[in-house]
Amino acid sequence: MINNNSHNCMASSQESIIRTTNSLTDRLRRNQTLTDAEFQQILQTQEEESLEYLYQNARQVCDIHYGKNIYARGLIEFTNYCRNNCYYCGIRRENRKAERYRLTEEDIINCAKEGYALGFRTFVLQGGEDIYYTKEKLGHIITQIKKFYPECAVTLSFGEWDYDTYQYWHRCGADRYLLRHETADQIHYQGLHPHEMNYFHRMNCLEQLKETGYQVGAGFMVGSPGQTVETLVKDLRFLEKFQPHMIGIGPFIPQKDTPFAGKASGTLSMTRKLLSVLRLMFPKVLLPSTTALGTIHPQGREMGILSGANVVMPNLSPVNVRGKYLLYNDKIHTGCESAQARQQLAERIHLLGYKLCMDRGDSKMQTCISEKKKEDFHESCTEQQPCAADRTQYP
Ligand code: 5AD
């Protein structure tokens, strides 16, 4: 028989955990930061009541800055060739089972055309690091899209290149660049990537992208092999210092033909906690509820939104290649995440009390380069004579 005393004791210790965690949420909301130990504590919380409180606060903060809008981006996965060999990724160079494809310039422009007709005003060109798309070739594609759709934003998600190339694409009209840092712990980084890939190089690319004047997105997978609460705190500290405009996070999901085939997926609950913590740290950041989150749970994307996310990225790639951009197992590609199912997606978002917003949806965070400086930057550089904006080395 459990006596009343020990029962009461358990209840009160649980209440005290809830009280402490909720006060961490309050403080994070107020100050946008916590100590390392406090971040760890909040990420380790299991109490449903505290988690609900965390999610609610994140949602409220997002509503203050973005209202009830959830921004839509049309995703064009234009190549699944990749020169890299990341251990986690299904389109890594050594995966002979991946069915490779590349879209032509015409295909890509047609995707944008279809997307435009569906109402999209941001196009995200995402691909593996495929050297077939030279600086000039991709530059031409960007120029064409901007020529046809000048009011639309073009976002690149195309990996690590040199400063000159980043500047060139920016001058061609690319507005934003997504490059997840993957982890801010150097040892963890080396556990996810082969030696030829370098943590400092990636961090340097992020600095250069910002310096160029892009709205920049960083981010990481949740639950990637070797990730701990300590490495996660380093991610939060890196983001705090870097101040990205966008942060992409989603659960790691194993892909059957990679070295990480047998590893466990990241969890819904850790992803939700991190989305909320990130929202409280960066009230104005653009934070997608990702396809990976929608893959691990049928309501994953909705739950992401209810934890503070405010962007969705439906797929605009041609239907015949959609099943080939397989970064991980069971990636959803036939349902609500397709851009053509926009209405269905809008309804699902409406049911949450939100509305799918088709505007360009620029970041409300301050850019590191002021608008004035950006104009000077454009005026002072020509294609032959690249601008002299200083490279900053990381760290
Ligand atoms: N599971 C989840 N996300 C993945 N990515 C790559 N492989 C996987 C995987 N197995 C993510 C990486 C990359 C982004 C484009 O997709 O974080 O930066």
Side-chain angles (χ1 to χ4, degrees):
M1 195 181 90
I2 302 176
N3 73 36
N4 262 347
N5 253 352
S6 74
H7 193 110
N8 287 345
C9 204
M10 262 160 57
S12 77
S13 87
Q14 193 187 14
E15 277 163 22
S16 122
I17 294 173
I18 294 172
R19 257 199 318 276
T20 319
T21 318
N22 290 0
S23 76
L24 289 181
T25 296
D26 292 337
R27 197 138 44 77
L28 179 57
R29 179 169 175 171
R30 206 166 42 243
N31 301 342
Q32 280 124 56
T33 194
L34 292 172
T35 66
D36 289 4
E38 289 167 340
F39 272 132
Q40 289 185 19
Q41 198 180 335
I42 214 163
L43 292 177
Q44 282 165 325
T45 304
Q46 305 278 2
E47 298 296 337
E48 261 324 301
E49 213 179 309
S50 300
L51 293 176
E52 281 307 322
Y53 187 73
L54 173 67
Y55 305 151
Q56 259 177 34
N57 270 275
R59 209 40 267 174
Q60 285 164 8
V61 166
C62 191
D63 290 358
I64 290 170
H65 298 285
Y66 288 99
K68 293 292 178 185
N69 294 319
I70 304 297
Y71 294 94
R73 286 42 172 119
L75 181 64
I76 305 172
E77 294 162 337
F78 67 97
T79 173
N80 71 352
Y81 282 84
C82 190
R83 63 179 167 187
N84 292 328
N85 219 7
C86 310
Y87 300 141
Y88 47 85
C89 184
I91 63 168
R92 65 201 300 271
R93 161 181 96 222
E94 276 177 19
N95 181 7
R96 309 259 175 271
K97 301 234 175 93
E99 248 188 89
R100 306 285 172 175
Y101 73 89
R102 289 186 176 112
L103 300 186
T104 62
E105 173 167 331
E106 194 190 349
D107 293 333
I108 298 173
I109 308 279
N110 280 335
C111 290
K113 187 173 169 192
E114 187 173 355
Y116 189 87
L118 288 164
F120 289 90
R121 295 296 177 265
T122 291
F123 303 116
V124 181
L125 302 186
Q126 182 170 96
E129 285 181 22
D130 180 358
I131 53 169
Y132 168 86
Y133 297 90
T134 56
K135 174 173 115 176
E136 291 76 17
K137 205 175 262 187
L138 187 58
H140 192 253
I141 295 169
I142 298 163
T143 312
Q144 292 298 102
I145 297 179
K146 291 298 272 200
K147 187 174 101 193
F148 295 132
Y149 309 111
E151 77 274 35
C152 293
V154 170
T155 305
L156 301 178
S157 172
F158 193 44
E160 298 180 30
W161 302 90
D162 60 26
Y163 194 30
D164 174 61
T165 306
Y166 286 150
Q167 288 190 336
Y168 183 83
W169 291 334
H170 187 58
R171 282 196 298 263
C172 290
D175 304 274
R176 309 178 186 146
Y177 205 107
L178 308 176
L179 181 71
R180 290 187 178 178
H181 63 284
E182 310 297 359
T183 172
D185 179 285
Q186 206 190 331
I187 295 173
H188 184 209
Y189 189 92
Q190 251 18 100
L192 298 176
H193 304 97
H195 265 292
E196 73 229 26
M197 291 183 73
N198 182 292
Y199 168 81
F200 294 101
H201 188 265
R202 196 161 188 94
M203 290 304 198
N204 211 23
C205 284
L206 279 163
E207 291 293 346
Q208 292 174 350
L209 287 164
K210 218 175 190 198
E211 194 60 36
T212 301
Y214 288 97
Q215 291 173 39
V216 181
F220 54 89
M221 293 175 287
V222 177
S224 62
Q227 185 175 72
T228 60
V229 282
E230 285 81 14
T231 65
L232 283 170
V233 170
K234 288 192 184 177
D235 289 316
L236 301 180
R237 293 285 174 229
F238 161 70
L239 294 168
E240 212 166 40
K241 184 154 154 250
F242 184 66
Q243 291 288 315
H245 303 87
M246 304 165 283
I247 302 175
I249 67 162
F252 160 74
I253 304 172
Q255 203 284 344
K256 61 181 180 25
D257 307 306
T258 61
F260 287 171
K263 305 283 184 187
S265 292
T267 63
L268 176 66
S269 106
M270 187 54 110
T271 309
R272 292 192 72 181
K273 278 186 245 187
L274 281 157
L275 284 170
S276 295
V277 165
L278 290 168
R279 172 58 65 205
L280 295 176
M281 292 176 72
F282 307 97
K284 296 184 182 178
V285 83
L286 288 159
L287 192 60
S289 191
T290 53
T291 308
L293 192 54
T295 299
I296 58 163
H297 190 286
Q299 298 289 311
R301 273 216 299 212
E302 278 89 343
M303 289 195 256
I305 290 169
L306 294 177
S307 314
N310 65 338
V311 173
V312 287
M313 296 167 71
N315 201 322
L316 271 179
S317 314
V319 176
N320 65 316
V321 303
R322 261 184 220 173
K324 297 182 185 165
Y325 199 82
L326 296 177
L327 304 185
Y328 44 81
N329 291 341
D330 306 318
K331 182 173 169 237
I332 46 175
H333 58 91
T334 52
C336 211
E337 73 300 328
S338 97
Q340 288 71 13
R342 201 199 103 177
Q343 204 44 44
Q344 202 187 332
L345 179 65
E347 279 159 25
R348 284 174 72 164
I349 287 174
H350 192 73
L351 284 175
L352 304 175
Y354 287 84
K355 80 171 194 289
L356 189 63
C357 175
M358 304 303 287
D359 299 353
R360 255 180 77 115
D362 283 294
S363 162
K364 298 189 179 185
M365 299 203 30
Q366 286 201 317
T367 37
C368 73
I369 299 186
S370 69
E371 287 308 314
K372 177 77 192 90
K373 194 169 159 209
K374 228 166 136 183
E375 280 163 27
D376 298 345
F377 174 97
H378 282 292
E379 270 163 22
S380 71
C381 51
T382 63
E383 292 196 3
Q384 290 74 31
Q385 203 187 10
C387 137
D390 271 336
R391 235 173 215 257
T392 50
Q393 293 292 321
Y394 188 90

